[in-house]
């Protein structure tokens, strides 16, 4: 059983398009996250979502928006894709409080052409 | 604001030798410290964490880490490296507000 899953694994699209990445966790965790990993492997948190509280990294463009239909899902929607959005996006989940570790999905490699 | 530093981009060791991957942190209040490993084309996997108690924590795959409050460090160690340990290692720090910060990562290469 996959704990944290993401779809698609690869996503190739053109500039200006709108795309979504789906994430699901079956661990019963209360908090979910989205991370961006750039070509230099630097990992940056984009969002964390705990029940009804959304915490946004202030550096994330508002073209990015997380959507959570329920506690087990946190999808990432991206509007007007740009070349600089090309990266690997990871979803993760954890229990609350902060002492718990995060479980990561396998990643989605987004390529914008 | 909290931060974490991994001073080495790359660490090379021979198989069978001990390995150390360094991490230092800065946080107000009590630090919650984590180590994760990333194999090629995979997501991060949790290795170990320090929350409180014994300064030496043991984790998966024979790894351990030592919390040093005076030096604000949390170095990852293993007594005898394996070729299969070759991967990217991330140190992370979290505060009571659930704010998580990752280091830039250290690429470990273990040569036969």
């Amino acid at each position: 059983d996959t704990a944290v899953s993401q779809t698609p694994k690869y996503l190739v699209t053109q500039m200006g398009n709108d795309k979504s990445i789906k994430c699901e966790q079956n661990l019963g965790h209360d908090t979910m996250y989205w991370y961006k990993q750039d070509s230099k492997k630097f990992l940056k948190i984009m969002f964390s979502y705990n029940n009804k509280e959304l915490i946004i990294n202030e550096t994330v463009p508002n073209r990015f928006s997380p959507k959570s239909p329920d506690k087990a899902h946190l999808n990432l929607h991206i509007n007007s894709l740009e070349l600089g959005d090309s990266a690997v996006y990871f979803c993760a989940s954890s229990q609350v409080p902060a002492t718990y570790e995060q479980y990561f999905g396998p990643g989605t490699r987004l390529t914008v052409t | 604001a909290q931060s974490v530093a991994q001073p080495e981009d790359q660490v090379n060791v021979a198989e069978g030798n001990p390995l150390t991957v360094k991490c230092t942190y800065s946080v107000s209040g009590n630090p919650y410290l984590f180590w994760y490993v990333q194999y090629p084309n995979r997501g991060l996997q949790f290795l170990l964490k320090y929350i409180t108690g014994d300064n030496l924590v043991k984790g998966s795959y024979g790894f351990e880490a030592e919390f040093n409050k005076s030096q604000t460090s949390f170095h990852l160690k293993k007594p005898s490296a394996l070729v299969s340990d070759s991967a990217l290692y991330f140190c992370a720090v979290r505060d009571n507000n659930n704010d998580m910060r990752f280091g830039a990562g250290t690429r470990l290469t273990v040569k036969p």
Side-chain angles (χ1 to χ4, degrees):
Chain A
D1 262 350
T2 302
V4 182
S5 59
Q6 297 178 227
T7 54
K9 188 171 178 62
Y10 299 97
L11 182 55
V12 181
T13 188
Q14 292 183 330
M15 286 175 55
N17 285 349
D18 302 340
K19 291 293 179 184
S20 292
I21 306 172
K22 295 184 177 181
C23 177
E24 177 182 1
Q25 55 96 4
N26 62 6
L27 299 167
H29 289 166
D30 292 313
T31 306
M32 297 184 72
Y33 312 81
W34 276 105
Y35 288 87
K36 178 181 180 181
Q37 187 174 46
D38 62 24
S39 58
K40 295 183 178 180
K41 304 299 183 183
F42 184 72
L43 201 64
K44 184 179 80 171
I45 189 166
M46 301 176 70
F47 305 99
S48 67
Y49 189 80
N50 179 356
N51 291 328
K52 296 177 182 169
E53 181 184 13
L54 175 65
I55 301 174
I56 303 172
N57 184 322
E58 64 276 8
T59 66
V60 175
N62 57 14
R63 298 182 294 103
F64 291 79
S65 57
K67 299 185 190 303
S68 181
D70 54 58
K71 198 172 86 167
H73 297 83
L74 184 66
N75 303 324
L76 182 65
H77 190 76
I78 315 169
N79 290 328
S80 303
L81 277 156
E82 300 177 356
L83 292 176
D85 297 333
S86 295
V88 180
Y89 292 83
F90 288 100
C91 176
S93 72
S94 73
Q95 293 177 311
V96 182
T99 56
Y100 287 98
E101 60 274 18
Q102 295 181 5
Y103 290 78
F104 283 77
T108 297
R109 184 174 295 277
L110 171 65
T111 303
V112 182
T113 60
Chain B
Q2 59 184 7
S3 64
V4 59
Q6 293 180 242
E8 301 158 317
D9 293 334
Q10 176 90 31
V11 171
N12 298 314
V13 298
E15 188 174 29
N17 283 359
L19 70 87
T20 298
V21 182
K22 295 180 180 178
C23 173
T24 59
Y25 66 90
S26 173
V27 65
S28 56
N30 294 323
Y32 304 130
L33 298 159
F34 303 81
W35 274 102
Y36 290 83
V37 59
Q38 185 179 25
Y39 297 102
N41 301 313
R42 302 285 294 275
L44 277 70
Q45 296 177 34
F46 167 73
L47 274 180
L48 51 80
K49 66 182 177 183
Y50 172 82
I51 304 301
T52 186
D54 194 347
N55 289 345
L56 184 65
V57 294
K58 296 185 183 296
S60 307
Y61 312 121
F63 284 94
E64 57 189 29
E66 186 169 10
F67 171 65
N68 188 317
K69 187 174 183 178
S70 62
Q71 296 185 4
T72 60
S73 67
F74 189 55
H75 300 332
L76 181 70
K77 300 180 180 183
K78 187 172 182 180
S80 179
L82 300 172
V83 172
S84 58
D85 292 330
S86 298
L88 191 56
Y89 290 81
F90 290 94
C91 182
V93 62
R94 208 166 178 182
D95 63 13
N96 283 324
N97 295 321
N98 211 26
D99 184 19
M100 185 82 141
R101 299 294 171 96
F102 283 83
T106 298
R107 186 167 299 283
L108 172 68
T109 301
V110 181
K111 298 183 178 178

